[in-house]
Amino acid sequence: MPYPAQLGFQDATSPIMEELMYFHDHTLMIVFLISSLVLYIIIVMLTTKLTHTSTMDAQEVETIWTIMPAVILVLIALPSLRILYMMDEIFNPYLTVKAMGHQWYWSYEYTDYEDLTFDSYMIPTNELLPGQLRLLEVDNRVVLPMELPIRMLISSEDVLHAWAVPSLGLKADAVPGRLNQVTLTSTRPGVYYGQCSEICGSNHSFMPIVLEMTTLKYFEKWSSMMQS
């Protein structure tokens, strides 16, 4: 969960989100160093009257400021491509869950079970219990086992939606007539919140996503109870 006046990301809950945060810090440091160098050069040019007559015809300088940006782009591209391939890889998922976007709620289907489907609506403000979060709580949470690879299939039945859970590093568009796929793995138990991240109509703000990551034993007990 984010907290008031937070400037950074939410705490990472998945290996992918940890990699994304490392990549963000790596790229931000490069941007900071480049910005500092450019600002220093601008200040020096504005404050000194000294000039060098050969500066405008220096082949060495031109070579350096051509090669250096290419090297910097490579240093950014390599870890970016690595994370991109990590996000696409799925090795024998333990579970497959299909999320369908509607105006304005989510429905979920556990495809590995015979009859385990439900709709997930936001709880209205006047029905919230003490401790529940406004605009984020739902009547039916998505319960999943932690420390296991889970495949999410995401689509929509009406307009464009987006299924996003920031602490897990997940965001995928829900497009009518198309299935998008993401991999989900949580390293610890907990309740994680997300929202629809695509403007989908007047009630776009009222499509929360709540994942409850728990132990495999509790998940099997919950799934048996839901099917009975």
Side-chain angles (χ1 to χ4, degrees):
M1 278 295 297
Y3 52 84
Q6 179 176 346
L7 297 179
F9 294 108
Q10 298 181 25
D11 292 338
T13 311
S14 68
I16 294 296
M17 188 59 191
E18 291 179 1
E19 293 289 340
L20 289 172
M21 292 178 69
Y22 294 147
F23 176 66
H24 168 267
D25 296 341
H26 166 74
T27 309
L28 191 64
M29 183 55 65
I30 293 176
V31 172
F32 174 76
L33 292 175
I34 293 174
S35 302
S36 300
L37 177 61
V38 171
L39 180 62
Y40 170 75
I41 293 174
I42 292 174
I43 293 174
V44 169
M45 291 180 66
L46 293 176
T47 56
T48 181
K49 296 182 180 180
L50 299 176
T51 57
H52 197 288
T53 57
S54 301
T55 301
M56 302 303 294
D57 191 31
Q59 300 297 325
E60 295 82 3
V61 175
E62 291 186 7
T63 302
I64 291 174
W65 71 39
T66 301
I67 294 177
M68 284 302 296
V71 173
I72 292 172
L73 289 176
V74 170
L75 292 177
I76 295 175
L78 291 180
S80 174
L81 290 173
R82 172 175 168 270
I83 296 174
L84 188 63
Y85 280 102
M86 286 176 61
M87 295 174 69
D88 283 340
E89 290 178 352
I90 296 181
F91 298 108
N92 300 322
Y94 175 80
L95 188 67
T96 299
V97 180
K98 184 178 179 182
M100 293 291 294
H102 307 264
Q103 289 183 312
W104 287 270
Y105 64 96
W106 294 98
S107 61
Y108 297 94
E109 177 185 352
Y110 289 67
T111 59
D112 299 281
Y113 294 83
E114 185 175 350
D115 187 23
L116 184 48
T117 62
F118 56 86
D119 296 329
S120 181
Y121 290 87
M122 186 194 74
I123 299 177
T125 303
N126 58 352
E127 298 179 12
L128 290 174
L129 299 175
Q132 291 186 328
L133 302 171
R134 178 178 173 271
L135 301 182
L136 288 177
E137 294 290 349
V138 295
D139 55 356
N140 290 310
R141 292 177 174 178
V142 180
V143 180
L144 297 171
M146 66 178 186
E147 297 180 339
L148 291 172
I150 298 165
R151 175 169 52 196
M152 294 293 305
L153 301 177
I154 300 162
S155 185
S156 171
E157 282 199 353
D158 37 51
V159 298
L160 291 176
H161 300 280
W163 198 84
V165 183
S167 59
L168 291 168
L170 296 177
K171 184 180 184 296
D173 289 336
V175 182
R178 176 177 175 177
L179 277 179
N180 285 330
Q181 177 177 277
V182 293
T183 310
L184 162 63
T185 303
S186 175
T187 55
R188 60 177 184 268
V191 178
Y192 306 104
Y193 297 89
Q195 290 177 301
C196 176
S197 298
E198 186 77 40
I199 297 177
C200 56
S202 58
N203 290 336
H204 159 68
S205 303
F206 310 117
M207 289 184 63
I209 301 162
V210 183
L211 301 184
E212 185 175 342
M213 309 303 298
T214 182
T215 60
L216 180 59
K217 181 178 180 180
Y218 178 84
F219 170 76
E220 295 291 352
K221 181 179 178 181
W222 172 83
S223 60
S224 300
M225 180 185 65
M226 290 290 290
Q227 293 182 94
S228 60

